[in-house]
Amino acid sequence: MAWVAHISGRPVGIARYIRYPDELERAELAVEVVDAEHGRGVGRVLTEATVTAAVQRVRRLSATLDPGNAASRALLAGLGAQFHLVEGVLEATGELRLPESIASRQSRHAT
Ligand SMILES: CC(C)(COP(=O)(O)OP(=O)(O)OC[C@H]1O[C@@H](n2cnc3c(N)ncnc32)[C@H](O)[C@@H]1OP(=O)(O)O)[C@@H](O)C(=O)NCCC(=O)NCCS
């Protein structure tokens, strides 16, 4: 599943998850935003939308990122991911859970 973000009809970012064919409870997550729109919250919105959809079907997530990319680390840390440096690349893994902002909204509606 993939979500695409648009600003004034122009695509500016994409996030997707792909389930591993031999391990359907695990998915790889990836998000990318065009350089000109970095730091405006597009990556966060795309990640939250993708994780909210994925959590219905998947229990664990993986992602691969550049160790120097602080924004992607912040996004994945917010999902509770653990990081391991493997051959110069950062591997993120973790149990998938609803983003805090969505979970707190859900619990407010449930009471
Ligand atoms: C990672 C990426 C998608 C982030 O997109 P973005 O739209 O700039 O991200 P946001 O503006 O939503 O910010 C996401 C988080 O990173 C933090 N952040 C953004 N820029 C940052 C920077 N330069 N340094 C530190 N933290 C930063 C934000 O504070 C935010 O955290 P918060 O929501 O907890 O406050 C973007 O940098 C990108 O496309 N990178 C290349 C592809 C990549 O590395 N993808 C990750 C692999 S999964």
Side-chain angles (χ1 to χ4, degrees):
M1 169 177 275
W3 292 89
V4 177
H6 291 83
I7 296 178
S8 305
R10 188 171 48 91
V12 296
I14 185 166
R16 55 106 176 124
Y17 77 86
I18 297 176
R19 292 199 291 174
Y20 287 79
D22 56 347
E23 201 182 339
L24 291 175
E25 291 195 336
R26 185 160 75 104
E28 187 193 82
L29 175 74
V31 53
E32 187 150 9
V33 173
V34 296
D35 289 357
E37 304 295 345
H38 280 183
R40 300 181 61 194
V42 176
R44 169 70 62 197
V45 168
L46 280 170
T47 302
E48 292 192 351
T50 305
V51 167
T52 301
V55 85
Q56 317 290 328
R57 307 173 76 189
V58 176
R59 289 174 149 212
R60 288 184 300 283
L61 76 90
S62 307
T64 304
L65 51 140
D66 180 331
N69 188 331
S72 58
R73 286 184 76 147
L75 285 176
L76 290 159
L79 300 176
Q82 311 282 311
F83 298 95
H84 307 277
L85 194 61
V86 181
E87 296 176 4
V89 172
L90 216 47
E91 303 276 357
T93 55
E95 296 292 312
L96 201 56
R97 60 177 195 220
L98 266 185
E100 205 56 51
S101 58
I102 308 288
S104 60
R105 225 172 292 154
Q106 264 194 353
S107 64
R108 273 206 307 278
H109 288 302
T111 52

